[in-house]
Amino acid sequence: MLLVGTALGGWSPLHAQAAAPATGSQPAPAVAQPVAAPAAPASSMIRSISVRGNQRLEPATIISYASILPGQSYTAATLDQALKDLYATDLFNDVNITGAETGNLVINVKENPVINRIVLEGNKRLKTDKIMPEIKLAPRQIFTRTQARSDVERIVELYKREGRFAARVEPKIVQLDQNRVDVVFEIYEGDKSKIRAINIIGNDAFKDDRLRKEMFSRESGGVLGFLKSNDTYDPDRLAADQSKLRIFYLTQGYADFRVISALAELTPDRRDFIITYVVEEGPRYKFGEIKAESALRDLPAEKVMEQVKVKSGEWFNAQAIEDTVTDLSEIAGNLGYAFSNINPGYDRDPAKRLMNINFRVEETPRVYVERVDINGNTVTRDKVIRREFRVNEGDAFSAIKVKRTQDRIQSLGYFQDKFEIKQSEGSADDRVVLTADLQEKPTGQIQFSGGYSSLEQFVLSLSVQQNNFRGMGQSLGAGIDYSRYSRSINLSFSEPYLFDRQVLLGGQIYRRDYNSFNYSGGQKNTTYGQVSTGGGLRLGFPINEYTTLATRYSLVLDDVTLSKSFYYTDPDGNGPLDSQCDPLKAGRYLCDELGKRVTSTVGYSIGFDNTDGIRPTRGQRLVLSQDFAGLGGDVRYLRTRADATKYWGRKNGIVLSAHAEGGYIHPFSDGPASGADPIRLTDRFFGPSPSLRGFDIRGVGPRIQRLFYNAEGVLDLETAKKVSDAVGGHAYYMARVEVEPPMTSGLRSLGIRPSVYVEAGSVFGLKKPLLNDIPGICALTSGTGADAVTQFKQLNPGQTKADCATLLVPGANDVASFQPGSKEFFLGNSAKPRLSVGFGFNWVSPFGPLRIDLAKALLKQDGDEDKVFSFNVGTAY
């Protein structure tokens, strides 16, 4: 089998692998060129016309393409035109006409082959499905060299758009039987063309390095060069860099700055580009006279001047002027002038190098909302969006209300970030049309995690949350968790607009089976178990535009238990029915918590929120909530919590936030007769949710640490086995300052939001529990079998195993034994702040929202447990 690779239009011949076997070797088709017709008499008659070499086309069809007929007179020019007409059809690789001397014409043709298939080879960076739409050749079509050249140019252009200017494409054909061919495009992709150097000519006021920092483009190389994404050549970015340079100079007083030329030169090896900018800085100006004129009665010149952000004598700054115009337009919009015309007039004084500015506010009519158009919502119902509008059809236009509408729609979380309501002229000068072009995003979230460890064994967690159920803005959620230490199931639902009124109604039912644990010798050990079964209802409604009131009621049955086989003791040997929680084994603080209790709670929350969306960049949130337990049930307390967050968005893209929260729980009873704390363990604060970053869950606050005596009843603080239990507090506080740095538009579009933060907080206020210090228990058994009698004596602090001999004097046949005890310490009950610093990384990844935190605890108290790394991941649908 012989495969013939044929170069097209002068390309060098190479062999290509055919997909189907050829019936025989064929010579590579030569480049077809029109052949002059044989000499003919000045005027002759065509006697006959025949066709030779045709395989697919009928002779009559070919003769019709030649536009000649028997009986027609002809000349050399006639035959030349016939050849051109035949070549113009792109059906033939070669054509000639013979027999002109006798008038018996013979048209000899070699038909272009039919394409069997198109094959791409060598493309790795660009997938086949992206290249194939650019190829116009197709199977079962006639192959032409002209079309092949065009396809090559389009493929190369596609690679240039990807920054691969060294890409080459060589088309080959593989001859098959029946005049068919496979067309093979051999692609050499090459590397992305980097920016080797950025040169700037004509700059005196600023150095090259300073100007390069203002550009989007960066030079390739450097220690972290492999992390760069903006060091590849992009013609569009070249234009953007010129604009960035001009903006920078205009903010520095150079009002006449211009870029004379921008040249991108490809290096001889076609691997990199060298970019050269030639600039003219011009003189530097200061602001001269600043004045204002206004034709609007509601916005006189005096008020205009109050909003002006520039002063005479300062360096000229075009950005400050633009900010002033933006602020004035917003003020005019709030007064009902949707299409205010505010023009800053520039008056140069080249001699003094001053720029005089006159802010002119032109007269425009007040406008009214003619129509509200909503586009792009395929799942969300129109009424869900329209009920968030704070300006309706027929209302006077208000920029403040339009902005508030944007914020409210953004806060729903159903649509893309940073959308805006567009304004366009209506049917008259005093009419405006508001258009919300929306792009819906997934509003559901599925979180699933699973794993196995020697401590937890199988760990499974599945939760489903739909925040726009049925497209009506309702929330529906369900979750299941299972592990060795925790099992729960819950179901929740909320309707934010009950009966189409702004009243929220929601409910939740759940069952949680939680086993607390402590650490002993680096291992987790189960302590108490808590089974909670309950549910609740909530009702909320707005007080005003930014303030809401929410009320709630919940009823929960808690059952706190301890393992009887491990933590209980049978003091008189009468069996498990008479066994009791042993403070020596469990600690007195746990023994006091056992039993079933019903908690009936009623509460409310008042919240203020004027932030601008799900991921706020400005505004504040304030929430005060209180819950009273005692409307029936077994416990009585008042829990108060408050939190506040403030956001500041900077023009350079930085978002600064400050957050503070705290809580206090006040008991209305004296607690157990044993003197234990009146607030039970399961109701106390264990810190902010989920935890203070840099510390483990329940890693801050009051805790009881138990150190065990050795077999001799001696306590060695350095080597003693330790157990630490978090017991919570009556009060807590937490404060955080967080900064999100500016991100490029590309990273923002990927949903990447890093941040750095400082956090401080504490949990405290717990009544010191009764603590055990029992070196051990001495036991002396007299007799055997049913007649055996055992005496027990508890050692006091300071005594050891040796003191058992003085407490219990053994007889000749008595058996003595010793059980080591433990000593408890109360730690961490301090309001002194714990402090941590860290770095967080949020990413809306293809597999769901991901949060990673790396934090370092700087200030700790005795007993605190820190943790450096934490993460959380889910998926959206």
Side-chain angles (χ1 to χ4, degrees):
M1 179 177 66
L2 180 63
L3 303 179
V4 181
T6 306
L8 305 179
W11 292 304
S12 60
L14 292 173
H15 290 287
Q17 183 178 357
T23 58
S25 63
Q26 299 180 16
V31 177
Q33 299 291 341
V35 179
S43 178
S44 301
M45 183 74 68
I46 300 176
R47 295 183 179 183
S48 65
I49 303 175
S50 59
V51 178
R52 294 178 184 173
N54 56 308
Q55 295 181 5
R56 298 185 309 274
L57 298 174
E58 295 293 330
T61 302
I62 298 174
I63 293 172
S64 68
Y65 288 149
S67 300
I68 54 177
L69 296 171
Q72 177 183 336
S73 60
Y74 68 95
T75 63
T78 303
L79 299 183
D80 284 339
Q81 185 61 45
L83 285 174
K84 292 178 181 178
D85 291 343
L86 288 171
Y87 274 115
T89 63
D90 278 336
L91 297 173
F92 307 105
N93 180 271
D94 188 26
V95 182
N96 64 71
I97 300 176
T98 60
E101 300 84 359
T102 63
N104 296 314
L105 303 182
V106 178
I107 303 176
N108 299 287
V109 299
K110 184 176 183 180
E111 296 174 345
N112 275 329
V114 174
I115 299 172
N116 178 55
R117 64 171 183 158
I118 306 293
V119 180
L120 300 179
E121 293 183 354
N123 58 307
K124 297 179 180 179
R125 300 298 180 181
L126 282 181
K127 300 301 182 183
T128 298
D129 58 0
K130 190 171 184 179
I131 298 176
M132 290 302 292
E134 298 293 325
I135 298 176
K136 303 306 178 185
L137 291 175
R140 295 185 297 279
Q141 290 185 357
I142 301 300
F143 171 81
T144 68
R145 290 172 174 78
T146 302
Q147 188 63 64
R149 293 190 189 97
S150 299
D151 287 343
V152 167
E153 292 174 358
R154 279 190 286 269
I155 296 173
V156 170
E157 181 61 30
L158 198 62
Y159 274 97
K160 285 182 178 180
R161 294 178 202 164
E162 297 293 322
R164 300 181 185 275
F165 286 81
R168 300 194 311 271
V169 180
E170 296 182 2
K172 308 292 176 59
I173 63 171
V174 179
Q175 298 285 355
L176 307 175
D177 60 344
Q178 300 178 357
N179 199 22
R180 296 177 302 123
V181 293
D182 283 344
V183 180
V184 181
F185 291 96
E186 292 186 349
I187 301 173
Y188 170 73
E189 296 180 316
D191 296 326
K192 280 193 173 185
S193 298
K194 301 286 187 178
I195 299 175
R196 184 175 297 179
I198 299 176
N199 301 320
I200 305 172
I201 300 173
N203 53 310
D204 295 323
F206 301 97
K207 294 182 179 180
D208 287 10
D209 288 343
R210 177 67 183 87
L211 297 180
R212 291 189 191 105
K213 292 179 180 179
E214 294 297 323
M215 300 179 185
F216 292 111
S217 302
R218 293 287 184 268
E219 293 179 336
S220 60
V223 177
L224 299 178
F226 65 95
L227 295 176
K228 295 180 182 178
S229 61
N230 54 353
D231 61 348
T232 57
Y233 174 70
D234 185 344
D236 295 333
R237 196 186 296 141
L238 191 68
D241 287 340
Q242 296 179 61
S243 177
K244 288 276 288 182
L245 279 176
R246 176 167 173 76
I247 291 173
F248 171 71
Y249 269 96
L250 288 178
T251 61
Q252 302 298 317
Y254 295 90
D256 297 330
F257 172 83
R258 64 191 183 102
V259 178
I260 298 176
S261 66
L263 179 63
E265 297 177 289
L266 191 60
T267 56
D269 59 6
R270 301 182 64 84
R271 294 177 60 88
D272 298 324
F273 276 87
I274 296 176
I275 301 175
T276 303
Y277 295 98
V278 180
V279 302
E280 183 180 316
E281 293 178 328
R284 194 178 189 189
Y285 289 82
K286 289 186 175 182
F287 283 115
E289 182 183 6
I290 308 296
K291 59 182 181 179
E293 299 175 3
S294 178
L296 298 181
R297 182 181 61 183
D298 299 329
L299 188 60
E302 294 78 12
K303 287 188 177 181
V304 173
M305 288 299 297
E306 292 176 1
Q307 300 300 319
V308 172
K309 296 184 177 181
V310 299
K311 296 180 180 180
S312 298
E314 294 179 344
W315 290 113
F316 172 77
N317 187 334
Q319 183 63 50
I321 296 175
E322 184 177 335
D323 292 343
T324 298
V325 172
T326 300
D327 292 345
L328 290 172
S329 297
E330 184 174 338
I331 292 172
N334 296 336
L335 296 173
Y337 302 98
F339 305 108
S340 56
N341 189 4
I342 302 173
N343 297 311
Y346 298 90
D347 180 20
R348 279 183 177 82
D349 187 344
K352 297 181 180 179
R353 294 189 178 180
L354 294 177
M355 184 72 73
N356 303 312
I357 308 295
N358 183 17
F359 292 94
R360 293 190 296 269
V361 182
E362 307 292 343
E363 184 173 3
T364 53
R366 289 181 182 272
V367 297
Y368 298 86
V369 178
E370 178 179 346
R371 192 173 69 253
V372 174
D373 294 334
I374 299 175
N375 305 317
N377 54 313
T378 57
V379 175
T380 309
R381 301 190 185 185
D382 250 33
K383 72 174 186 178
V384 174
I385 304 167
R386 290 186 180 274
R387 66 194 184 193
E388 302 299 332
F389 270 78
R390 291 303 177 255
V391 57
N392 297 308
E393 296 170 351
D395 291 349
F397 176 84
S398 170
I400 290 180
K401 292 182 178 180
V402 171
K403 181 61 178 174
R404 177 58 181 165
T405 299
Q406 289 180 186
D407 293 345
R408 289 186 66 90
I409 294 177
Q410 194 80 67
S411 297
L412 293 174
Y414 308 159
F415 309 106
Q416 82 282 7
D417 294 339
K418 302 302 180 185
F419 96 100
E420 63 176 323
I421 298 175
K422 298 178 181 178
Q423 306 161 23
S424 58
E425 295 184 2
S427 58
D429 292 341
D430 62 345
R431 295 290 183 267
V432 63
V433 175
L434 302 180
T435 304
D437 291 321
L438 304 169
Q439 180 181 343
E440 290 184 316
K441 64 180 182 181
T443 55
Q445 190 174 51
I446 299 177
Q447 287 189 316
F448 176 79
S449 63
Y452 180 86
S453 71
S454 59
L455 293 176
E456 295 280 350
Q457 297 183 359
F458 285 102
V459 179
L460 297 173
S461 177
L462 174 64
S463 64
V464 181
Q465 181 76 28
Q466 174 54 258
N467 295 319
N468 190 15
F469 183 58
R470 300 189 301 158
M472 298 181 63
Q474 299 167 336
S475 293
L476 179 65
I480 298 175
D481 294 282
Y482 178 85
S483 72
R484 179 181 177 183
Y485 292 101
S486 177
R487 291 171 293 277
S488 69
I489 183 171
N490 65 82
L491 180 67
S492 62
F493 175 80
S494 66
E495 166 59 70
Y497 275 76
L498 185 63
F499 306 125
D500 289 329
R501 297 183 179 276
Q502 201 170 352
V503 176
L504 180 144
L505 177 65
Q508 179 186 29
I509 55 174
Y510 61 87
R511 179 179 174 87
R512 301 189 185 106
D513 186 353
Y514 173 74
N515 290 317
S516 183
F517 56 84
N518 59 34
Y519 285 94
S520 176
Q523 298 291 320
K524 283 183 178 179
N525 300 284
T526 301
T527 55
Y528 69 89
Q530 178 184 359
V531 177
S532 300
T533 305
L537 293 173
R538 62 184 187 276
L539 189 70
F541 51 88
I543 297 176
N544 56 38
E545 180 61 30
Y546 300 103
T547 307
T548 57
L549 174 64
T551 59
R552 56 188 169 271
Y553 174 77
S554 66
L555 183 65
V556 182
L557 170 63
D558 288 317
D559 185 9
V560 179
T561 59
L562 281 171
S563 171
K564 291 188 176 182
S565 62
F566 193 78
Y567 292 107
Y568 277 51
T569 297
D570 183 9
D572 52 13
N574 292 330
L577 293 178
D578 194 34
S579 62
Q580 299 176 2
C581 177
D582 189 343
L584 180 62
K585 298 178 179 179
R588 192 181 304 276
Y589 63 96
L590 281 182
C591 292
D592 289 335
E593 299 295 331
L594 301 182
K596 294 182 179 180
R597 295 179 179 86
V598 175
T599 304
S600 175
T601 307
V602 61
Y604 73 93
S605 295
I606 296 179
F608 175 87
D609 187 345
N610 66 350
T611 56
D612 59 342
I614 296 294
R615 300 184 181 93
T617 59
R618 57 178 172 79
Q620 50 269 327
R621 289 194 186 114
L622 307 171
V623 178
L624 172 66
S625 63
Q626 288 188 304
D627 292 279
F628 171 71
L631 195 66
D634 302 317
V635 295
R636 293 171 58 83
Y637 62 77
L638 177 66
R639 177 188 285 115
T640 303
R641 297 184 63 176
D643 66 77
T645 308
K646 173 71 175 178
Y647 298 91
W648 296 271
R650 307 290 87 181
K651 293 186 180 297
N652 56 7
I654 294 176
V655 178
L656 172 66
S657 64
H659 174 82
E661 64 176 277
Y664 178 74
I665 183 167
H666 177 72
F668 289 114
S669 62
D670 296 332
S674 63
D677 194 273
I679 300 298
R680 58 182 179 156
L681 179 69
T682 54
D683 292 326
R684 298 170 192 163
F685 291 118
F686 286 87
S689 180
S691 65
L692 194 67
R693 286 178 286 192
F695 294 86
D696 205 350
I697 297 175
R698 297 192 174 191
V700 170
R703 59 200 321 105
I704 293 179
Q705 188 179 82
R706 302 171 67 200
L707 274 66
F708 290 88
Y709 288 88
N710 62 21
E712 301 301 321
V714 177
L715 183 65
D716 186 344
L717 297 179
E718 298 296 328
T719 62
K721 177 183 174 182
K722 298 179 181 179
V723 171
S724 180
D725 285 324
V727 292
H730 286 201
Y732 86 97
Y733 69 86
M734 192 272 280
R736 176 180 65 245
V737 176
E738 189 164 8
V739 178
E740 294 183 15
M743 303 298 295
T744 64
S745 57
L747 292 177
R748 281 198 304 269
S749 66
L750 293 175
I752 294 176
R753 294 185 303 115
S755 64
V756 293
Y757 50 82
V758 178
E759 290 190 351
S762 182
V763 181
F764 58 97
L766 185 67
K767 179 181 178 181
K768 184 177 179 179
L770 296 176
L771 302 175
N772 289 328
D773 184 3
I774 304 174
I777 295 178
C778 307
L780 185 66
T781 303
S782 303
T784 59
D787 298 329
V789 177
T790 303
Q791 302 180 60
F792 296 93
K793 290 292 183 177
Q794 179 178 298
L795 295 178
N796 295 318
Q799 294 179 321
T800 65
K801 179 180 179 180
D803 294 307
C804 288
T806 60
L807 297 177
L808 297 170
V809 180
N813 298 319
D814 294 343
V815 178
S817 62
F818 175 75
Q819 178 183 347
S822 64
K823 182 176 183 178
E824 295 175 342
F825 297 87
F826 186 49
L827 305 174
N829 189 32
S830 171
K832 292 182 179 180
R834 282 73 161 174
L835 180 68
S836 65
V837 297
F839 168 80
F841 180 85
N842 275 298
W843 178 32
V844 184
S845 68
F847 49 86
L850 172 68
R851 171 79 191 192
I852 296 175
D853 282 293
L854 293 171
K856 174 67 175 177
L858 301 180
L859 294 180
K860 298 189 294 183
Q861 299 294 322
D862 289 343
D864 290 348
E865 297 174 355
D866 56 356
K867 182 173 66 172
V868 174
F869 175 79
S870 63
F871 79 97
N872 185 40
V873 65
T875 185
Y877 69 94

